[in-house]
Amino acid sequence: MASETVAGSVLADEKGPSGLRHYQAGAEEEEEHAGEGGGKSRLSGLLWHGGSAYDAWFSCASNQVAQVLLTLPYSFAQLGMVSGILFQLFYGLLGSWTAYLISILYLEYRTRREKDKVDFRNHVIQWFEVLDGLLGRHWRNVGLAFNCTFLLFGSVIQLIGCASNIYYVNDHLDKRTWTYIFGACCATTVFIPSFHNYRVWSFLGLLMTTYTAWYIAVASLMHGQVEGVKHSGPTTIMLYFTGATNILYTFGGHAVTVEVMHAMWRPQKFKAIYLLATLYVLTLTLPSASAAYWAFGDQLLTHSNALSLLPRDAWRDAAVVLMLIHQFITFGFACTPLYFVWEKLIGLHDCRSLCKRAAARLPVVVPIWFLAIIFPFFGPINSAVGSLLVSFTVYIIPAMAHMCTFRSPQSRENAVERPPKFAGGWTGAYVINSFVVAWVLVVGFGFGGWASITNFVQQVNTFGLFAKCYQCPPHPSVASPLLPPSSMAPSPSMPFIFNMTGTLAPMSAPSPAPAPLHFVFPHHHHRHHRHGL
């Protein structure tokens, strides 16, 4: 085994040891093969077959922030302005570091395997296989369980977001019905073979997210602060850590890092791509969340989707439609690794027939569809997934795997990629990894898990499972006379109790009249909308 190592900064792309040179030769051969295929249909190759560093950047940036963009103002209301900004910067940096670790472990695994003459041209490497090859089957099983469960609920969240968004354009159907419809639409992602084929979709998805983010920022500023606006956050420890775990979830979108790298012609160029994608994403999340919280303050505590507070006009409808398309793309991003796992399980992963693979993938969509109908809690479910699944999948496990893989002097000496000098080399990497594990385990999983699960249980107790229209305002045709304003004000310390549903809030009342809960926001579509964008 060669002892020469690749040194230098994260962005370096120098020649490495013999295994890495062999690896690069294979990548160049794969790129040449892709180019030959593109010659048959230049347009198809341009739109369909991607594998460059730019494609990877668009994929990372597009996948990192989708529907969660709409819930970040809700998190700011829970955290307060200063904590919201600091947590975004902190978790953005933490996520970039662990994405870098995943990329290094992928290169290490693939280099070792290619030295053994293993051919990956008809096989997509996944994270659990990297753990298996480097650390053994126990690591593989843990990684597979967390990764698949996270991607499953990540797809569920995208489907819930679709139903939540379209309701603000067309409220003739309830959100559960929209979930049925978009579940069928998202099932068409079974026809997208791999991450190679997301080139145009990633590009368009990022444009759509960019528009929506800046629409929220500009529309909130033009709307101005609502009358009597209050910025009470943080009010309780539970809400504080619930908001923090939603941001942890926001910057934990690198569960598909290995699949994105495998789709690249030269995966060794990935090392800094996620950091650059995060920097761009911060230019979207910080202005939009800050402006919406400045304008609406504590009202966001009862409106987990920021679009619900903005005036209904053509600009907002365009943002909703664009986010719907982007969520469809992100659904595919989260589901594609699950498709690969299922294909490998049933022995169809190397099948050449796209129709056979698509038909075999359909059973993966069914549980996602079902879970989205059971738990339609847009916003709170993000925090629960962030604390219980994201914390381990993309923070704790990669940091621990990196330390265990390179724990011996020999493994460090023969490493394909050394930690960057600015991070302190091997010693600095171990210190950073230890901090990541300790912080996320205590703050993200511990406090965040307690807070987000408590909040999630409150949603279930308040609205019940299979809620027909979560947080829907009452329909004007069934609204009763208004209650006195003093009886309608929600308590900032328990905002989740006042999340509205059109029909299913399980609150008893002494008379057949609708519960007071239905009149918390009786003029949802008209109040404070004097200054539309």
Side-chain angles (χ1 to χ4, degrees):
M1 181 178 291
S3 60
E4 182 182 355
T5 56
V6 180
S9 68
V10 177
L11 291 170
D13 192 23
E14 299 93 349
K15 294 180 180 179
S18 57
L20 188 56
R21 288 198 296 271
H22 169 73
Y23 165 80
Q24 184 170 348
E28 289 172 352
E29 183 179 337
E30 185 177 343
E31 182 177 3
E32 182 181 350
H33 177 73
E36 291 175 359
K40 299 177 182 178
S41 177
R42 192 167 300 224
L43 179 62
S44 175
L46 177 65
L47 300 178
W48 186 248
H49 193 84
S52 68
Y54 297 102
D55 291 314
W57 183 85
F58 279 113
S59 294
C60 291
S62 177
N63 183 54
Q64 190 169 351
V65 57
Q67 53 74 35
V68 74
L69 176 73
L70 308 178
T71 65
L72 286 175
Y74 169 67
S75 296
F76 269 48
Q78 295 171 320
L79 288 165
M81 184 74 78
V82 175
S83 291
I85 293 173
L86 292 178
F87 268 116
Q88 281 203 38
L89 296 173
F90 175 69
Y91 281 130
L93 186 61
L94 224 60
S96 299
W97 171 258
T98 52
Y100 166 73
L101 297 180
I102 294 173
S103 71
I104 296 307
L105 292 172
Y106 169 84
L107 292 177
E108 186 72 28
Y109 168 76
R110 182 160 180 176
T111 302
R112 293 183 186 182
R113 297 294 288 164
E114 289 193 343
K115 286 180 181 178
D116 297 331
K117 309 300 182 183
V118 177
D119 188 358
F120 290 110
R121 279 179 295 184
N122 293 322
H123 182 92
V124 177
I125 299 174
Q126 294 189 266
W127 175 232
F128 71 92
E129 294 170 318
V130 172
L131 294 174
D132 186 21
L134 297 177
L135 297 169
R137 60 186 181 89
H138 295 299
W139 281 83
R140 177 201 64 194
N141 294 338
V142 172
L144 180 63
F146 274 105
N147 198 261
C148 288
T149 308
F150 166 48
L151 292 173
L152 178 75
F153 277 96
S155 304
V156 169
I157 289 170
Q158 299 306 321
L159 193 51
I160 294 171
C162 286
S164 176
N165 288 338
I166 192 62
Y167 183 81
Y168 297 115
V169 173
N170 186 338
D171 58 1
H172 292 92
L173 299 177
D174 57 71
K175 292 181 181 180
R176 187 168 64 191
T177 303
W178 281 119
T179 302
Y180 292 139
I181 294 171
F182 278 98
C185 294
C186 289
T188 59
T189 57
V190 298
F191 291 100
I192 302 178
S194 71
F195 284 97
H196 274 299
N197 311 113
Y198 276 95
R199 164 173 275 185
V200 66
W201 299 115
S202 298
F203 175 74
L204 293 176
L206 191 58
L207 290 181
M208 296 168 187
T209 307
T210 301
Y211 170 85
T212 303
W214 284 107
Y215 160 74
I216 292 174
V218 174
S220 297
L221 294 174
M222 293 185 66
H223 180 282
Q225 290 185 315
V226 297
E227 184 180 352
V229 63
K230 293 182 179 180
H231 300 90
S232 305
T235 55
T236 67
I237 294 294
M238 189 196 72
L239 290 180
Y240 188 82
F241 284 108
T242 300
T245 51
N246 187 39
I247 296 179
L248 177 78
Y249 169 82
T250 302
F251 294 97
H254 45 289
V256 297
T257 296
V258 171
E259 288 83 359
V260 171
M261 287 186 69
H262 193 81
M264 294 178 67
W265 296 316
R266 292 184 176 85
Q268 64 268 37
K269 291 186 176 181
F270 183 86
K271 290 171 287 187
I273 284 177
Y274 194 86
L275 174 61
L276 297 176
T278 298
L279 294 176
Y280 180 79
V281 166
L282 286 171
T283 68
L284 307 180
T285 58
L286 288 174
S288 59
S290 302
Y293 181 53
W294 170 82
F296 300 104
D298 290 350
Q299 283 192 18
L300 288 162
L301 290 171
T302 51
H303 295 76
S304 57
N305 190 330
L307 292 176
S308 64
L309 288 171
L310 292 169
R312 181 170 182 177
D313 53 23
W315 297 97
R316 195 194 73 164
D317 289 351
V320 171
V321 172
L322 292 178
M323 281 303 294
L324 285 173
I325 300 173
H326 185 211
Q327 285 168 308
F328 167 81
I329 297 169
T330 309
F331 180 94
F333 261 89
C335 254
T336 299
L338 296 176
Y339 296 152
F340 293 155
V341 173
W342 179 250
E343 288 172 355
K344 293 172 184 178
L345 181 65
I346 63 177
L348 280 179
H349 185 58
D350 57 353
C351 179
R352 296 281 185 176
S353 172
L354 178 60
C355 292
K356 285 184 179 179
R357 292 178 65 188
R361 290 173 170 187
L362 282 174
V364 177
V365 181
V366 175
I368 296 171
W369 206 350
F370 187 63
L371 288 170
I373 295 168
I374 297 177
F375 306 114
F377 310 123
F378 187 69
I381 194 174
N382 295 18
S383 298
V385 171
S387 61
L388 302 181
L389 299 174
V390 175
S391 56
F392 282 93
T393 304
V394 295
Y395 291 99
I396 295 175
I397 292 178
M400 293 184 65
H402 188 267
M403 290 190 289
C404 292
T405 299
F406 300 108
R407 63 185 179 276
S408 68
Q410 184 181 5
S411 62
R412 294 193 294 271
E413 179 66 23
N414 296 324
V416 171
E417 177 75 22
R418 292 176 178 269
K421 292 182 179 179
F422 66 80
W426 289 110
T427 302
Y430 271 71
V431 171
I432 296 173
N433 290 341
S434 300
F435 171 78
V436 170
V437 172
W439 176 273
V440 177
L441 188 62
V442 175
V443 177
F445 176 72
F447 290 108
W450 161 75
S452 59
I453 292 303
T454 302
N455 190 19
F456 191 83
V457 170
Q458 290 285 351
Q459 305 299 321
V460 174
N461 292 338
T462 303
F463 303 110
L465 302 177
F466 298 96
K468 188 174 183 180
C469 206
Y470 177 68
Q471 285 192 333
C472 295
H475 196 279
S477 62
V478 298
S480 300
L482 301 181
L483 297 178
S486 59
S487 66
M488 299 187 296
S491 169
S493 62
M494 296 286 283
F496 44 81
I497 295 298
F498 294 87
N499 284 336
M500 294 178 298
T501 181
T503 57
L504 295 182
M507 298 180 63
S508 60
S511 67
L517 179 64
H518 289 214
F519 305 106
V520 177
F521 299 103
H523 297 289
H524 173 71
H525 294 293
H526 303 286
R527 184 190 292 181
H528 308 306
H529 291 172
R530 297 186 300 272
H531 308 291
L533 184 63

